[in-house]
Amino acid sequence: MYFTLAVSAATREECAALTGAAERTDPRVMPIPGPARVAWRAPGGRVAVLHWGEAPSPGTSHAGTIWAEGATVHARTGLARVDPVYLAEVGGAVVVSDRACWAAAVTGRLGDPDPAMAGAFLSLGYPIGDATPFRGVRALGGDRELRLIDARPAAVRAGPGGEGPAGAEAVARALTEAVRPLGGADPPAELSLTGGKDSRLVAAALVAAGVPFRARTHGFAGHPDVVVAGLIAARLGVEHTVTRPRPPGAPDEADVLGRLRAAVLVSDGMLSAFENLGSGFRPDPQAAGGPAETGGHGGELLRGGYAQAAWRAPAAAAAPLNAAAAGELFRRMTTRRLGLLRPGPARAYLATLARPAAALARGPLAALDDFYLANRAGRWSAAARQAYLLRSPLVQPLFADRVVRAARAVPLRDRMSDRLHRDVLGSLCPELLDLPLAGTPWHGQPRTAATVLTVPPGAAAADWRRDYGDAVAGFLRGYILDHGETSPVFGIVRRSAAERLLRAPQADRQGAWALATLTALLSGDWLNAREPAGEAVSRGRTASRPARSTARPRRG
């Protein structure tokens, strides 16, 4: 794996200065070994492309998102923008990168936090819109191509203007074509198979495309995911491996400190440590050399994203959809921890919600569908994908442009009702339709033992992110309060509100993790992610404070 950064400047000198800054980037900012290398430079010296990490094949870049032709830099995002592009303008130059921290470091903004981002991070666990943790570094929107000519950015729509053909057959064809390239994988691709709706849909597409694959499920014997995945694999005749979770153990302070730091490092400062980022948490993992992995990530896009959660099945076909539930869901998602923010950052964050809030007033359920695509897929999934790519190649066919475009051409009611999902599965592999689901039934289907398997006692893995004890609670409280005093944290967060959130027994544990991760980010302590956390804890919390970045932090 490698990362890409491109510079387009008005003068040769400006380009050389930023290129030099990119080559001298502190390696603690990057989750994989460097150094940076200039991969291409324009004859006039005003454009340069750099790579950090393994040397890519000539003429390629990370995920094909950033490349150069002639004297022009191109950066492109897909509809779901799970392969992100970040943009920073400084002086007479523009920097684009697929790593926000790298763009921030090169332009001197690593220690300049964007206070508006904190509201989304604390409420949702990730930034929204085009915000990043760094003021002046923004995320390019979905389905866009950015062209940099003489340091002047021009964004254009990347995809075709129309939505394309609608219906289950169109989605089935698009999904089959999205997985077909995996047919040449050696060793065969590995499918993360659960008992839910989405990974079985990808399994059906792999079978329809004639792609050999192996299935893998993580969980204890007797868990519905393991049981149903076994039924699916047996019916399809594919090899199925079950990996058991590690035995539960009480985490210590080193576990928590290491998780906080690594969460910022591997997710580019975009995700809370509450999120499960798998083994991508290990900084400097071995180069990805295993099988290509795939799974059902993004299946909610076929069901209307957040819209389905706000929709109650109408009593009659003509009954209106529940607009009030849509508005309440949006409010709870986006402002549930607004009280943690100081007035200025709170106003800045609320301003970023103005556009989706206006769309919600015009069409509540459609707005929730759009919000899911632009933010949950485009921001949360993009950060999680970057973390997982550190471990192995990851292919997410349900995020492919052709699949998203075909699905969103289907009426929203047909998606929220699971009709589209069931019809696509029936088109690809109808023999999987009658197998039970783990957890949630098909919309409108009664929850019975024949349709849904529930978790029996002892079959679920312990989750210490939610079920930690007094020791972890005390460490999170001390970490936030100690580092908050010497960093921009309490210029953005109200200390009194933070103390209430952290008061034992910490009922809002997701919020506590989000605030602790934000503290690791804003204090710069995440730059110590490669330091053995146990040694830092043994020296005391004050000793674990960061070696500061070269940019001076400012209070938001």
Side-chain angles (χ1 to χ4, degrees), residues 24-412:
R24 295 188 301 272
T25 298
D26 185 341
R28 297 180 302 166
V29 172
M30 307 296 279
I32 59 176
R37 296 179 177 88
V38 176
W40 179 87
R41 200 188 302 267
R46 294 187 298 178
V47 181
V49 176
L50 299 95
H51 293 133
W52 181 292
E54 296 177 3
S57 302
T60 65
S61 68
H62 176 61
T65 55
I66 300 171
W67 70 100
E69 294 177 0
T72 303
V73 171
H74 300 260
R76 183 169 183 162
T77 61
L79 274 163
R81 60 171 174 173
V82 292
D83 289 309
V85 172
Y86 301 102
L87 170 70
E89 300 181 55
V90 55
V94 178
V95 171
V96 293
S97 180
D98 46 26
R99 175 83 179 165
C101 291
W102 197 8
V106 170
T107 56
R109 290 159 174 161
L110 201 59
D112 189 6
D114 183 349
M117 181 278 302
F121 195 92
L122 293 173
S123 292
L124 292 159
Y126 57 90
I128 63 171
D130 63 358
T132 74
F134 315 105
R135 198 194 311 260
V137 180
R138 60 185 176 90
L140 194 63
D143 196 27
R144 292 289 183 272
E145 182 174 335
L146 182 72
R147 298 173 186 169
L148 303 179
I149 306 171
D150 294 332
R152 293 193 301 271
V156 297
R157 183 178 176 85
E163 292 290 352
E169 289 297 329
V171 176
R173 287 194 301 272
L175 185 56
T176 303
E177 290 306 309
V179 302
R180 198 178 300 281
L182 289 170
D186 184 23
E190 189 171 86
L191 171 67
S192 179
L193 184 63
T194 70
K197 302 171 183 177
D198 302 326
S199 60
R200 75 175 64 192
L201 191 60
V202 175
L206 290 165
V207 171
V211 174
F213 68 98
R214 298 181 298 224
R216 175 180 50 81
T217 306
H218 187 67
F220 291 116
H223 191 282
D225 275 336
V226 174
V227 174
V228 178
L231 296 175
I232 295 169
R235 186 157 295 187
L236 297 178
V238 300
E239 178 185 343
H240 182 222
T241 301
V242 177
T243 58
R244 292 174 57 87
R246 287 182 297 179
D252 59 22
E253 294 179 346
D255 293 328
V256 178
L257 179 59
R259 185 181 185 95
L260 293 172
R261 291 170 168 177
V264 178
L265 177 64
V266 302
S267 74
D268 208 8
M270 306 289 179
L271 287 185
S272 163
F274 179 82
E275 307 296 338
N276 184 8
L277 296 178
S279 56
F281 267 92
R282 297 192 304 271
D284 293 339
Q286 296 297 317
E293 295 187 18
T294 188
H297 317 86
E300 294 88 349
L301 293 170
L302 272 65
R303 299 191 293 277
Y306 290 131
Q308 190 184 61
W311 181 50
R312 298 170 186 166
L321 300 178
N322 197 315
E328 176 61 16
L329 175 62
F330 181 80
R331 186 195 66 78
R332 284 191 289 109
M333 283 194 304
T334 57
T335 63
R336 56 183 163 179
R337 299 187 184 96
L338 188 65
L340 282 170
L341 297 179
R342 295 171 68 89
R347 287 193 298 271
Y349 170 55
L350 290 174
T352 69
L353 298 177
R355 182 173 295 179
L360 200 74
R362 294 192 300 270
L365 293 165
L368 287 178
D369 181 27
D370 292 342
F371 190 81
Y372 189 95
L373 173 65
N375 295 292
R376 177 69 177 186
R379 303 310 312 274
W380 185 94
S381 293
R385 174 179 170 81
Q386 185 168 108
Y388 273 87
L389 280 169
L390 300 177
R391 180 186 63 196
S392 62
L394 179 64
V395 178
Q396 297 172 297
L398 289 167
F399 283 133
D401 279 2
R402 67 185 79 179
V403 176
V404 176
R405 206 177 299 280
R408 285 172 61 83
V410 175
L412 184 54

Side-chain angles (χ1 to χ4, degrees), residues 374-468:
N375 295 292
R376 177 69 177 186
R379 303 310 312 274
W380 185 94
S381 293
R385 174 179 170 81
Q386 185 168 108
Y388 273 87
L389 280 169
L390 300 177
R391 180 186 63 196
S392 62
L394 179 64
V395 178
Q396 297 172 297
L398 289 167
F399 283 133
D401 279 2
R402 67 185 79 179
V403 176
V404 176
R405 206 177 299 280
R408 285 172 61 83
V410 175
L412 184 54
R413 184 188 291 268
D414 288 343
R415 288 189 281 141
M416 292 188 300
S417 66
D418 280 343
R419 178 179 174 181
L420 173 62
H421 207 295
R422 287 178 60 88
D423 286 350
V424 173
L425 185 59
S427 173
L428 293 172
C429 194
E431 54 266 40
L432 296 183
L433 277 171
D434 65 335
L435 293 180
L437 293 166
T440 305
W442 296 106
H443 202 86
Q445 188 182 56
R447 181 187 291 269
T448 67
T451 61
V452 179
L453 296 188
T454 56
V455 182
D463 183 358
W464 64 267
R465 298 172 303 161
R466 298 177 186 274
D467 301 325
Y468 55 78

